[in-house]
Amino acid sequence: MNYASRNLRIAPAISLAEEEDFSLGPLRVQPSARQISVGHRTETVEPRVMQVLVILARAAGAVVSREQLIERCWGGRIVGDDAVNNAIVKVRALAGLSEQPAFEIETIPRVGYRLRQRGREAATAISLPAASPIASSLSWRWIGLAAAAIAIAGGLIAALYDFFRPEPKWIVAESQLPFIASPAMERYPALAPDGTMIAYSAGPTVHNRHIFLRLVKGGDPIQLTHDANDASSPAWSPDG
């Protein structure tokens, strides 16, 4: 089957002299010199084969149709399957110039071909022009906005957790005397290091409390705070 030239949207043929050098994994490709280098080895490539390699590499993993190859590498002239197939076979052979194949050419039935980088070298694919300053600025701006949104969401979650979490409860495992000294709401008991006294917060509500101190063996509590602010969670210093 022959492929006739296309009159619609015909792209100009590849000019190797105008193509910039690029890398495919360990391979250094110089289209203008028709050379591929790896280490101390340099191979000269046929013009048509180099054109096909450039087209597939510049597609950056996208599928290139046979028609596009014919338009860009044969100038849209009528060529047979053998010409395209032969060029693809020779491009595939170039991948073996390195110790580990630098790339592979995947055939997409009835569509075309796709060049894929292989192994760890895929991360350093083709040397492409750097992104414009405007695009970079917008990218960093979006990253900053995303980070701020995550921080705000984290703060809200922490605040909601602190607001709704139940207050800690404590239990006297064994006692001969009642611990509750008043009808007020008592919370946050803290036992003295010597075990003789206990400090705790008590008040009519969880937002209006004072710190009290009493002996563990019983007796009247002593109120330690008297201001209008809510006081809770007393703690002892190591020396009591």
Side-chain angles (χ1 to χ4, degrees):
M1 174 179 179
N2 293 332
Y3 290 85
S5 60
R6 305 293 183 182
N7 294 323
L8 297 177
R9 198 171 53 82
I10 295 180
I14 286 290
S15 174
L16 296 178
E18 299 175 0
E19 289 292 325
E20 297 182 358
D21 297 350
F22 60 91
S23 297
L24 284 172
L27 303 181
R28 183 64 179 170
V29 184
Q30 299 174 283
S32 59
R34 293 170 35 219
Q35 291 182 337
I36 295 181
S37 303
V38 55
H40 300 291
R41 179 182 179 184
T42 300
E43 294 287 339
T44 301
V45 182
E46 297 176 22
R48 197 80 67 195
V49 176
M50 179 62 78
Q51 286 178 315
V52 172
L53 176 61
V54 169
I55 288 292
L56 294 174
R58 296 299 187 195
V63 177
V64 179
S65 68
R66 296 175 69 93
E67 288 82 357
Q68 288 174 310
L69 288 176
I70 292 172
E71 290 174 1
R72 302 298 307 281
C73 302
W74 281 269
R77 296 192 300 273
I78 298 176
V79 296
D81 285 342
D82 290 344
V84 177
N85 294 340
N86 185 52
I88 293 295
V89 169
K90 292 181 178 180
V91 171
R92 285 193 172 111
L94 297 176
L97 294 177
S98 56
E99 183 176 353
Q100 296 293 330
F103 62 89
E104 62 180 2
I105 305 298
E106 180 184 3
T107 300
I108 311 299
R110 299 186 181 182
V111 179
Y113 304 94
R114 173 167 54 192
L115 184 147
R116 285 185 170 182
Q117 297 271 341
R118 298 184 63 181
R120 64 179 182 179
E121 301 295 345
T124 57
I126 304 167
S127 302
L128 298 176
S132 67
I134 295 177
S136 298
S137 175
L138 291 175
S139 297
W140 282 110
R141 181 175 298 178
W142 280 111
I143 292 174
L145 291 174
I150 293 173
I152 292 173
L156 290 175
I157 292 173
L160 290 173
Y161 173 78
D162 186 65
F163 182 80
F164 288 107
R165 68 176 178 178
E167 295 193 3
K169 299 179 180 180
W170 57 279
I171 299 173
V172 177
E174 181 178 357
S175 175
Q176 302 300 323
L177 297 173
F179 174 74
I180 299 178
S182 70
M185 184 179 296
E186 297 177 335
R187 294 287 191 276
Y188 304 109
L191 189 65
D194 61 5
T196 60
M197 293 182 290
I198 190 166
Y200 60 95
S201 63
T205 68
V206 294
H207 301 293
N208 183 16
R209 296 168 293 187
H210 293 288
I211 302 299
F212 291 84
L213 180 68
R214 61 164 288 176
L215 294 173
V216 173
K217 65 180 182 180
D220 295 330
I222 301 173
Q223 184 173 340
L224 300 180
T225 60
H226 298 82
D227 54 27
N229 296 324
D230 178 57
S232 64
S233 303
W236 293 86
S237 61
D239 59 2

